[in-house]
Amino acid sequence: MVKISIIPRAISGDGRAIVGNLGIDKPALWSESIGAVDLQPFLSGLGLDLTGWRLTEVTAISGDGTTLAGRGTAADASMSGAWIATIPEPSTWVLGGITLALAAVALYRHAAASRSD
C-alpha cells in the first residue's frame, strides 16, 4: 500500500499512474517515480502550449498512463471545454533528466575553468 497526496479520479491499467485533484481546480498526476504534480505546469514543462487556458479537472487516464483527458476554461472564463494530452513515456523523462544533469555539470566545469584562468 502506498499513500498518495491527491484525490483520485482515475487510474492507469497497471496502477502506476493516478490522476485526480490536489485541490479545487488543481488537476494532478501521481506516479511513484515523480510523486504528485500539478498538471498545468507539468504539461507546460513538457512543451504543451496552454497559453490562455486553465486546466480545471482531469477525469481520465489511458490504460498505459500516457494519455490524459479533462476539462478546462479560458483564462478570462469566456469559454470552457474538454482537453486531451499525451505525455511521453517515463523513460523519456529519465533521459531528459540525465541530459539536464550532464548539461549542468558541463556548465559548472566551464565556469570553474574560466575562474581559474
Side-chain angles (χ1 to χ4, degrees):
M1 183 176 274
V2 176
K3 181 180 179 179
I4 62 172
S5 55
I6 66 173
I7 301 164
R9 295 285 306 262
I11 187 167
S12 65
D14 63 7
R16 293 183 182 193
I18 300 170
V19 294
N21 296 340
L22 287 168
I24 296 173
D25 291 344
K26 283 266 192 194
L29 169 68
W30 178 93
S31 77
E32 193 170 29
S33 61
I34 62 171
V37 294
D38 183 335
L39 270 180
Q40 186 90 27
F42 179 74
L43 293 176
S44 292
L46 294 175
L48 185 63
D49 183 8
L50 299 174
T51 304
W53 286 92
R54 184 172 57 89
L55 305 182
T56 56
E57 66 180 321
V58 59
T59 57
I61 186 168
S62 63
D64 67 1
T66 61
T67 303
L68 313 174
R71 293 192 50 77
T73 61
D76 65 2
S78 63
M79 294 184 289
S80 67
W83 58 266
I84 187 168
T86 301
I87 58 175
E89 294 288 329
S91 60
T92 305
W93 302 345
V94 171
L95 290 175
I98 290 169
T99 302
L100 288 175
L102 292 174
V105 168
L107 286 172
Y108 174 78
R109 286 184 178 170
H110 177 70
S114 295
R115 283 192 299 262
S116 66
D117 288 340

